[in-house]
Amino acid sequence: MPPRGQPPPASGPGGPRPAVLLLAPLLLLALQGVAAAPAGAGGTEDSPGLQDAELQRGLLQQAARAALHFFNFRAGSPSALRVLAAVLEGRATVNPKKECQVDLVFTTDHYNREPFCLIPKSLFQDGEERLGKCSARVFFRNQKPRPAVNVTCTRLIEKNKRQQEDYLLYTHMKQLKTPLDVVSIPDSHGHIDPSLRPIWDLAFLGSSYVMWEKTTQFLHYYMAQISSVNQWKTNDDAVDFDYTVLLHEFSTQEIIPCRIHLVWYPGKPLKVKYHCQELQTPEEASGTEEGSAVAPTELNNF
Amino acid sequence: MKWILFFGALIGLSICGREKFFGDQVFRINVRNGDEISKLSQLVNSDNLKLNVWKSPSTFGHPMDVLVPSVSLQLVKSFLKSQGLEYSVTIEDLQIYREMNSIAGDFPELASRVKIGHSFENRPMYVLKFSTAEGRRRRPAIWLNAGIHSREWISQATAIWTARKIVSDHGKDPAITSILEKMDIFLLPVANPDGYVYTQTQNRLWRKTRSHNPGSPCVGADPNRNWNASFAGEGASDDPCSEVYHGHHANSEVEVKSVVDFIQEHGNFKCFIDLHSYSQLLMYPYGYTVKKAPDADELDKVARCAAKALASLSGTTYQVGPTCTTVYPASGSSVDWAYDNGIKYAFTFELRDTGHYGFLLPANQIIPTAEETWLGLKTIMEHVRDNLY
């Protein structure tokens, strides 16, 4: 796993012959946050300039997602999860092996802040300051999983506060009656019982690891639902959580069930093992793929 | 207003967090003998389950129809299973169809419920027609499409809210009043009824139709890849197991064909809007190519205006652009078909949210979503009204 390093250098990357970004039209994604489309490149039929700009934006978006999933996983804190607010700037280069390096800067918001809580954004006094800022270098290996990520973010939540909140979450988790009497979280109507919210946040943390590994230039994921809780054990030094999550891959629209087993204690690195049910698609030459990984630094302890 | 109570009951009003949702279902239970009748009576008479018998069997061999409130669903299912009672779940889109009927009943001069076809599993496909026209004149018309992807529940919910809004605001809101003075509106809240039922009973994340694919264990085709616009092109799959399987041939899905036939027979549609979720996007053709549509500049302006109007309510931001480069390449889509068939004002909405809840948007966001979307829809419809061709 690449260590958290310095922010990426402003100048271009090394490498024999960095090529100007040129991606297959397959990579086309939405930009979150407020952003105007680039001014029309003119012309009535094809607008190659416009397309390239949009492809660039799509790739930056992908890189931001990969970087954030990785960041969330490494932070190991279910009360300090972040979501992408907006990509501010970035640049991508593709090498002859079709590997793609992206340097970018983006802003983040709190994941745990309940969205659309009937409080209009205008009422947040702090405005832009509630957003964190990250710079990252992401290296996509030509549609292979496990993009390499180097990411640094400004602190969104003060360290002590974060530890307190994690510990609070942990004590709530310990109070949950086992076996848990739940099937899906959320239910079909998007409802998560407040007492079960810590489970969702912890599941999202574990899923971040999986989603980081599986994100490529073209594929990106959301956690749709926890479809089953297989085991939930809390003792004095850990939460042991075995669950099945449904990931939604956006460009193929597929739902991918992943069995995840994690062990967590506030302040300690997260340990994750997972196995996803991959679908057989024509693009996968080797047939059904299974991802099974343990974070290498935690191997001994698991 | 009665509709608030109904919709409130339907959806459940709440502030941030707690909500109840009534997903009632009608169970059709087979009764084969007296023993089964008495078991059923036991069930029906139990107070706490709050069951409602709709149809009692006159003799053995005839089924009993029972309305089961959503809170009792699991219990009833377990009971029936444990007693070996056979049953099937009928009209799950019940509430939406009832509400459509109610709207037409409450505003007969303005709204009527029209059957345009049926689904693969033989469920009716109903549209609501809103028209102030007298006689049989074919006014220029707007088509509002919803629920083509069954798991995108905010789409069907927004559609039925919008239906009520149209009839309630007509005569009061100058915008909708003037729109209906010149044009008719057709609203299809559940374009994929079989899929919708399936999401309520078996798999909440089902997207496609429920048609059978000969030779394949996989069911259904993506109804938004099945239209005759670069059918089977890039951005669709020929694998029946894929979520974007385009189907055997264009319009192979009867749900799609029903709409195509209706629109073509009508011949005077000027606007086609398709509601989906999620991502908060407002898009226009094309999905099947990166080539710019001839009207792209105008459509882009209209879409930006609509997104601005939408955002004015709660600050919800939408990205605007052509489908192919804004979300992904998609061939055989409804909006591309509409556009290539002379329906210039063709738009796709991807409603809330941007991935936090995704398809499982909490019920307390339904009304806020519908309200803001209404502002966007009105902007588009006003532009159409002022730019009829």
Side-chain angles (χ1 to χ4, degrees):
Chain A
M1 194 146 341
R4 264 196 227 173
Q6 309 298 323
S11 57
R17 269 191 306 169
V20 171
L21 171 69
L22 239 187
L23 274 183
L26 272 178
L27 173 61
L28 301 157
L29 295 140
L31 185 68
Q32 284 179 334
V34 180
T44 47
E45 290 292 293
D46 300 40
S47 309
L50 188 64
Q51 285 165 42
D52 277 349
E54 306 211 16
L55 293 176
Q56 260 272 359
R57 268 198 325 195
L59 188 53
L60 297 185
Q61 191 82 354
Q62 283 299 89
R65 291 173 176 130
L68 253 185
H69 285 317
F70 180 75
F71 180 84
N72 280 330
F73 162 68
R74 283 298 298 230
S77 170
S79 65
L81 296 162
R82 304 196 189 196
V83 286
L84 181 64
V87 176
L88 298 181
E89 61 186 74
R91 214 183 35 192
T93 53
V94 184
N95 68 19
K97 284 197 281 182
K98 291 201 185 157
E99 294 164 329
C100 191
Q101 177 167 299
V102 186
D103 292 320
L104 72 158
V105 178
F106 57 92
T107 51
T108 65
D109 201 347
H110 298 268
Y111 177 83
N112 312 78
R113 174 171 289 155
E114 182 69 33
F116 299 107
C117 211
L118 298 184
I119 302 170
K121 279 189 186 162
S122 53
L123 284 190
F124 285 115
Q125 299 291 36
D126 44 4
E128 280 299 303
E129 287 120 327
R130 76 172 198 278
L131 299 178
K133 200 168 182 183
C134 301
S135 44
R137 167 169 287 178
V138 179
F139 189 75
F140 289 116
R141 303 178 306 137
N142 190 20
Q143 297 182 63
K144 293 205 196 77
R146 296 199 101 206
V149 174
N150 237 317
V151 60
T152 330
C153 297
T154 57
R155 219 175 38 219
L156 251 191
I157 304 171
E158 204 265 307
K159 185 178 178 186
N160 283 337
K161 179 157 189 255
R162 177 159 65 85
Q163 283 179 343
Q164 265 170 38
E165 301 213 346
D166 275 350
Y167 198 75
L168 204 64
L169 263 181
Y170 173 68
T171 43
H172 281 144
M173 291 177 193
K174 283 186 76 174
Q175 279 157 23
L176 287 169
K177 255 192 348 203
T178 52
L180 295 177
D181 195 17
V182 285
V183 184
S184 315
I185 304 172
D187 67 15
S188 282
H189 307 292
H191 178 61
I192 302 177
D193 194 287
S195 69
L196 300 178
R197 183 82 207 191
I199 297 184
W200 173 265
D201 289 340
L202 190 59
F204 186 81
L205 179 61
S207 303
S208 296
Y209 177 75
V210 181
M211 293 191 285
W212 159 59
E213 286 215 335
K214 294 167 74 56
T215 300
T216 69
Q217 298 112 295
F218 306 116
L219 304 176
H220 70 279
Y221 298 83
Y222 298 93
M223 186 169 113
Q225 194 180 41
I226 300 171
S227 57
S228 68
V229 174
N230 309 309
Q231 177 172 274
W232 175 266
K233 276 199 306 206
T234 57
N235 51 40
D236 280 338
D237 61 357
V239 177
D240 192 301
F241 185 20
D242 184 324
Y243 60 103
T244 304
V245 86
L246 299 174
L247 298 183
H248 173 224
E249 199 291 305
F250 206 82
S251 62
T252 59
Q253 288 292 316
E254 297 292 339
I255 302 296
I256 296 159
C258 295
R259 178 99 183 238
I260 300 178
H261 187 187
L262 66 82
V263 177
W264 176 71
Y265 187 77
K268 289 213 188 128
L270 182 74
K271 301 169 197 172
V272 190
K273 270 198 233 173
Y274 75 92
H275 175 99
C276 294
Q277 245 176 273
E278 296 290 353
L279 305 155
Q280 198 151 17
T281 63
E283 290 81 55
E284 290 171 285
S286 54
T288 313
E289 271 175 39
E290 301 176 348
S292 224
V294 176
T297 53
E298 285 80 43
L299 247 178
N300 317 333
N301 303 333
F302 208 152
Chain B
M1 281 188 286
K2 184 172 94 180
W3 74 268
I4 286 184
L5 287 174
F6 176 87
F7 207 72
L10 179 68
I11 300 302
L13 292 171
S14 68
I15 312 286
C16 250
R18 265 182 195 273
E19 69 273 329
K20 275 191 285 199
F21 185 96
F22 294 95
D24 299 355
Q25 292 179 10
V26 175
F27 280 48
R28 178 155 286 173
I29 307 166
N30 284 336
V31 270
R32 293 169 290 200
N33 52 51
D35 186 41
E36 294 198 337
I37 293 245
S38 63
K39 285 182 187 168
L40 262 185
S41 309
Q42 208 189 329
L43 183 74
V44 164
N45 291 328
S46 69
D47 265 341
N48 55 330
L49 289 178
K50 303 219 190 314
L51 303 182
N52 209 312
V53 178
W54 273 21
K55 198 165 76 184
S56 289
S58 43
T59 58
F60 304 139
H62 279 91
M64 171 190 267
D65 284 356
V66 183
L67 178 64
V68 182
S70 72
V71 288
S72 306
L73 284 177
Q74 275 309 120
L75 285 166
V76 171
K77 282 183 187 170
S78 317
F79 179 87
L80 293 174
K81 210 172 182 169
S82 68
Q83 302 296 321
L85 286 163
E86 279 177 11
Y87 70 97
S88 61
V89 188
T90 65
I91 333 165
E92 279 66 33
D93 28 11
L94 180 74
Q95 283 169 315
I96 289 190
Y97 286 170
R98 277 204 302 213
E99 173 64 353
M100 288 172 80
N101 228 7
S102 166
I103 290 171
D106 290 346
F107 296 88
E109 263 103 61
L110 188 53
S112 54
R113 195 181 73 167
V114 179
K115 182 173 176 186
I116 65 163
H118 60 87
S119 68
F120 181 81
E121 290 173 349
N122 224 357
R123 291 184 174 85
M125 300 223 356
Y126 289 127
V127 301
L128 270 173
K129 175 182 177 185
F130 304 96
S131 178
T132 59
E134 280 146 21
R136 300 227 190 104
R137 281 177 301 146
R138 281 269 161 88
R139 279 190 172 172
I142 295 165
W143 184 275
L144 300 179
N145 211 55
I148 203 171
H149 289 141
S150 37
R151 62 190 178 198
E152 299 166 8
W153 282 11
I154 187 62
S155 169
Q156 298 94 330
T158 296
I160 197 64
W161 180 97
T162 303
R164 255 307 160 183
K165 185 69 171 170
I166 291 173
V167 292
S168 307
D169 275 15
H170 180 260
K172 300 182 185 124
D173 171 19
I176 191 60
T177 308
S178 63
I179 289 164
L180 283 170
E181 226 163 84
K182 287 217 184 137
M183 319 183 57
D184 293 343
I185 299 174
F186 290 82
L187 173 65
L188 175 61
V190 188
N192 178 6
D194 297 347
Y196 191 48
V197 167
Y198 201 72
T199 58
Q200 307 223 350
T201 56
Q202 301 286 351
N203 179 354
R204 173 61 179 83
L205 295 174
W206 186 260
R207 165 185 170 91
K208 302 190 285 183
T209 60
R210 292 293 301 165
S211 58
H212 295 150
N213 296 306
S216 171
C218 295
V219 175
D222 183 339
N224 207 28
R225 301 289 184 277
N226 188 245
W227 301 68
N228 196 9
S230 188
F231 176 79
E234 191 193 355
S237 169
D238 60 3
D239 178 1
C241 298
S242 163
E243 293 280 28
V244 294
Y245 172 53
H246 48 57
H248 191 262
H249 54 268
N251 302 331
S252 62
E253 304 312 288
V254 63
E255 297 84 353
V256 170
K257 186 169 196 319
S258 303
V259 176
V260 168
D261 287 349
F262 187 90
I263 291 181
Q264 283 184 328
E265 207 269 329
H266 183 282
N268 204 17
F269 276 89
K270 303 298 178 194
C271 175
F272 184 102
I273 300 174
D274 202 7
L275 300 183
H276 290 257
S277 78
Y278 54 93
S279 279
Q280 291 171 209
L281 307 170
L282 179 41
M283 303 180 289
Y284 48 87
Y286 286 110
Y288 67 74
T289 175
V290 294
K291 272 177 73 161
K292 202 167 146 178
D295 301 290
D297 288 339
E298 183 190 354
L299 296 180
D300 190 270
K301 284 208 191 83
V302 176
R304 276 178 208 289
C305 257
K308 198 165 163 207
L310 190 155
S312 70
L313 196 64
S314 308
T316 309
T317 53
Y318 272 56
Q319 298 312 305
V320 169
T323 303
C324 197
T325 52
T326 307
V327 65
Y328 40 53
S331 59
S333 73
S334 62
V335 164
D336 285 356
W337 172 84
Y339 184 75
D340 281 348
N341 278 268
I343 303 175
K344 177 158 67 148
Y345 298 106
F347 297 96
T348 304
F349 278 74
E350 291 278 358
L351 301 172
R352 291 196 195 178
D353 60 12
T354 52
H356 188 121
Y357 287 100
F359 301 122
L360 274 54
L361 196 70
N364 65 7
Q365 289 197 43
I366 294 174
I367 292 180
T369 302
E371 286 183 330
E372 67 193 14
T373 306
W374 176 238
L375 300 182
L377 290 174
K378 269 203 293 184
T379 305
I380 294 172
M381 294 194 291
E382 282 176 300
H383 183 91
V384 179
R385 172 201 68 199
D386 297 338
N387 292 273
L388 283 172
Y389 55 93

